Amino acid sequence: MAQSTLPEQSEKYVQKLNLLRDNLSGVIRGKSESIDMMMVALLSNGSVLMEDVPGTGKTTLAKALARSLDVPFNRVQFTPDLLPTDILGSSIYNPVDGTFHFRQGPIFCNILLADEINRASPRTQSALLEAMSESQATIEGVRYELPSPFFVLATQNPVDFHGTYPLPEAQLDRFLIHLQLGYPDAENEMEILFAQSTEHPVDHLERVLNHEEVVQMQEQVKTVHVEQSVARYMIDLVQATRNDPRLKLGVSPRGSLMLFRASQAIAYLKSRTYVLPDDVQQMADYVLAHRLILTSKAKYSSITKMDVVSDIVSKVKVPN
């Protein structure tokens, strides 16, 4: 039987996570669920794809996270002429001694903001695949380890498709979580106006975690207990996506693994040492929906991927 409370050291980390949540909530108001999902991705050592209209705070959220962790942060504005070497780096010739020296690209950081990722060509988008899956980059035949933790936050605009390249399924599958911030309500937007009337709150954020603490928390998340019945529940959900007539493509085994880890992370965030079916259900939309491909009939019936996931969650039997 798993113990019900976290060890003392873990409790201290959870307190620091609460400070991190306060930092992010002070910058992005009224989006507590999205902020929790961002923290789940960080604890799971995963990546986040944020798809929303311009001006909803995607870039600001990434900056606030980087400042709160006091880690190296780089932003890459993806454009059609961006090359893989612009992200990964390349060898530079030194005419003085006739040698080549590798110059690291912006990917060598702890938090990478890939802004408007769907504006770059598929070749450039694919430069992130190895980094997101294995925290390493192979450049000119040489393998380079990336800093730990390595966290990719990619954004894309769903309303302007001119000059864009939709992310292929192979790349979508490598994102742990898909987020949509959405517009704030009237009350929170009023608070935003006055909070940023003279200066931006992100400029005054203080560090609450360092990268060593983040790595230790990621290791602790892996120890959160998952009962066999709860793991079976995850598999049943995934299997249901593969057999649903509304879907042309269901969730991959990588998706199962990511749902497992994300469920551990959300339990850890709630100061628990074990995963409940409620944790799995909470993470299902964020982890599973973007991995699905609807059939043409489902698309024209105005069914969304989240509709399918919600329907499956409501039908699959929950373990006692």
Side-chain angles (χ1 to χ4, degrees):
M1 183 72 178
Q3 70 178 76
S4 58
T5 58
L6 291 172
E8 184 178 350
Q9 184 187 29
S10 299
E11 282 289 357
K12 291 180 180 178
Y13 285 149
V14 170
Q15 291 172 9
K16 290 194 173 187
L17 286 172
N18 289 333
L19 293 176
L20 175 59
R21 183 187 286 112
D22 292 342
N23 265 13
L24 300 180
S25 299
V27 174
I28 304 295
R29 298 177 184 269
K31 300 297 176 184
S32 58
E33 179 81 1
S34 295
I35 288 171
D36 279 354
M37 292 304 108
M38 182 78 72
M39 295 168 66
V40 163
L42 180 67
L43 292 170
S44 304
N45 199 22
S47 299
V48 176
L49 175 63
M50 300 182 70
E51 183 176 19
D52 223 320
V53 295
T56 52
K58 302 184 294 294
T59 303
T60 301
L61 185 55
K63 289 180 177 178
L65 179 63
R67 188 178 288 267
S68 298
L69 301 183
D70 192 25
V71 297
F73 163 73
N74 286 327
R75 174 184 178 179
V76 179
Q77 184 67 47
F78 278 59
T79 56
D81 60 348
L82 192 73
L83 299 175
T85 53
D86 295 327
I87 300 172
L88 303 177
S90 61
S91 294
I92 305 298
Y93 179 68
N94 186 347
V96 176
D97 56 14
T99 60
F100 286 88
H101 300 279
F102 177 68
R103 184 177 65 184
Q104 293 183 348
I107 200 171
F108 289 89
C109 64
N110 290 111
I111 298 180
L112 177 68
L113 173 59
D115 217 356
E116 294 189 292
I117 189 174
N118 57 331
R119 291 199 175 279
S121 67
R123 180 187 175 196
T124 301
Q125 292 175 9
S126 66
L128 287 176
L129 294 184
E130 182 182 13
M132 290 167 59
S133 295
E134 303 173 43
S135 295
Q136 66 180 32
T138 302
I139 305 164
E140 298 174 354
V142 180
R143 185 172 61 187
Y144 297 88
E145 294 293 329
L146 296 176
S148 182
F150 178 67
F151 182 74
V152 174
L153 173 58
T155 71
Q156 62 179 4
N157 185 343
V159 296
D160 183 7
F161 296 106
H162 182 68
T164 63
Y165 303 84
L167 295 179
E169 284 71 29
Q171 189 163 348
L172 283 173
D173 199 37
R174 283 169 168 80
F175 285 99
L176 173 71
I177 284 175
H178 178 228
L179 278 182
Q180 294 176 306
L181 283 181
Y183 292 119
D185 58 32
E187 183 178 344
N188 282 297
E189 193 160 4
M190 177 72 79
E191 292 181 8
I192 291 171
L193 294 180
F194 286 98
Q196 300 184 23
S197 60
T198 57
E199 53 192 355
H200 205 292
V202 76
D203 296 330
H204 299 283
L205 293 181
E206 295 184 358
R207 178 181 65 84
V208 295
L209 282 169
N210 58 45
H211 72 277
E212 291 92 351
E213 291 171 326
V214 173
V215 171
Q216 289 173 9
M217 285 190 292
Q218 289 174 343
E219 291 303 314
Q220 289 178 356
V221 163
K222 296 176 184 178
T223 68
V224 173
H225 182 70
V226 182
E227 291 281 355
Q228 287 281 342
S229 60
V230 177
R232 184 69 216 185
Y233 178 54
M234 298 181 197
I235 297 302
D236 289 344
L237 291 174
V238 168
Q239 290 284 347
T241 68
R242 297 171 186 168
N243 299 317
D244 196 294
R246 295 166 292 184
L247 299 175
K248 186 162 55 175
L249 180 70
V251 175
S252 69
R254 181 188 286 118
S256 303
L257 289 167
M258 289 190 172
L259 179 60
F260 187 92
R261 182 72 73 236
S263 299
Q264 289 178 304
I266 193 66
Y268 183 88
L269 202 58
K270 296 175 181 177
S271 301
R272 269 191 279 104
T273 60
Y274 55 91
V275 174
L276 295 174
D278 287 350
D279 300 322
V280 180
Q281 293 175 348
Q282 183 178 356
M283 298 310 306
D285 277 350
Y286 296 102
V287 177
L288 302 184
H290 64 283
R291 306 174 193 281
L292 307 177
I293 298 181
L294 295 169
T295 63
S296 297
K297 181 179 179 181
K299 286 181 183 178
Y300 291 121
S301 300
S302 299
I303 294 174
T304 68
K305 297 176 183 180
M306 285 195 174
D307 290 337
V308 175
V309 172
S310 298
D311 187 42
I312 288 174
V313 168
S314 69
K315 291 179 179 178
V316 172
K317 184 179 179 181
V318 181
N320 296 324

